[in-house]
Amino acid sequence: MSTWKDSADVVIIGGGIMGAATAYHLARRGCTGVVIVEKDLLAQASTGLSAGGIRQQFSHPSNIRLSQEAVRVFERFKEEFDTDMEFRQVGYLFLAQSDDVWQEFLANVEIQRQLNVPVDVLSPDEIKRRWPYLNVEDLRGGTFGPEDGYADPYMAAMGFANAARRLGVRIDEQTKVTAIRQEGGKILGVETTGGPISAPVVVNVAGPWGGEVAHMAGLDLPVKPYRRQVFVTQAFERIPKPVPMILDIEPAFYFRGEGPGVLMGMSDPDEPSSFHTNFDYGFMEKLIEAAIHRAPILEEAEISRGWGGLYAITPDDNPIIGPLPNAEGLFCAIGFSGHGFQQSPTVGRVLSELILDGETDFDLSPYAHDRFDQTTGKSETRVV
Ligand SMILES: Cc1cc2nc3c(=O)[nH]c(=O)nc-3n(C[C@H](O)[C@H](O)[C@H](O)COP(=O)(O)OP(=O)(O)OC[C@H]3O[C@@H](n4cnc5c(N)ncnc54)[C@H](O)[C@@H]3O)c2cc1C
């Protein structure tokens, strides 16, 4: 049993970009008794290890809306946060090989255009004309979002965190939340390695550890960690810059420009759930094969470094966002697969409204914690 020496209005568990964006939105609305508790250092987990892709080309309308609002924030990020998150709006190209996937792409484009997302439908010849280094022989076509691109997720998180700090938010780094305390259906606060903090509101934005943190509140949420690996080449001038984010959806391979080199990633369907982030040379061979198939010139590139990070994945590839049952005052935003960085500005805004106003204009029903009993299969098909 602990005695409360420290108190807050809101405790945010996790100092990744979700935590930083949520703290910022709470503080700019005047809620300054906010403490972010981060077990390591800010933005060093999934956020700092992300590939930084930003796109509005999703299949689920709610995901399109989350990213659409975020793109507007990223466009004015430098002015608003006095931080250059290096948003490069050089486009995002999706490639389809099979008829089935191509038909899915075309159906997605309908939804995207209804929501005013600019997206071009390209034939293999048009793709070859614009990006001559791509092998288009086995392609049915592609879709290109000219407003999309990529950015530096670490700088974006630090932009939100520094703005939150300036508004009075406290950030306790190297402090782990070890328990969530509740009584009579209400949240009381958290126990941490730095001592207990009483608070009527606790937010679980613990990324890949979101399932573990939910357990602390007696909840079993289907969010699991999976390793994802990224590799960067040495300076490579054979591919003209800028290189957009290029996503070869069927082998789940992607690449984009990264400084003078190229950044490449791929999802491994055989990867079991774990917290491992070690680098796997065997997998690098598979990735290189996919890379050379799509852009044969990459055979001449040298890999200079790579890393593993964690996705947080739910059964339908969509996140869980909103209030949680059992205890009033408990909220979460976890399970974002490979698109949490780009959706964080909107999620931070929406969570702050739920906490401060008890409601938000954003329809969160596709992200409800209890949807998994009723649905099966993937509700977002454009996930790598
Ligand atoms: C290789 C890779 C590529 C990706 N590419 C993209 C991309 O192109 N575009 C995109 O939008 N997204 C991408 N993502 C996904 C994106 O990185 C995540 O969805 C996003 O960063 C999630 O942010 P977060 O703040 O929820 O989680 P995190 O950044 O993981 O932050 C959670 C924090 O919680 C802390 N924490 C956990 N448990 C506790 C505890 N008990 N007490 C205190 N602190 C705790 C952790 O230390 C961590 O810092 C990628 C991810 C990876 C790994």
Side-chain angles (χ1 to χ4, degrees), residues 7-31:
S7 68
D9 296 325
V10 180
V11 168
I12 294 176
I13 307 175
I17 197 157
M18 289 296 166
T22 306
Y24 165 72
H25 279 282
L26 286 166
R28 77 190 279 263
R29 291 272 314 271
C31 175

Side-chain angles (χ1 to χ4, degrees), residues 14 16-18 38-39 46-47 50-51 53 177 208 310 338-342:
I17 197 157
M18 289 296 166
E38 166 53 52
K39 68 180 170 64
S46 305
T47 299
S50 159
V177 171
L310 296 172
H339 47 272
F341 153 60
Q342 64 201 277

Side-chain angles (χ1 to χ4, degrees), residues 104-125:
E104 244 184 63
F105 273 26
L106 295 178
N108 292 340
V109 168
E110 289 296 306
I111 302 169
Q112 291 154 7
R113 285 182 174 163
Q114 274 165 21
L115 293 172
N116 299 319
V117 173
V119 49
D120 305 327
V121 175
L122 303 175
S123 68
D125 284 350

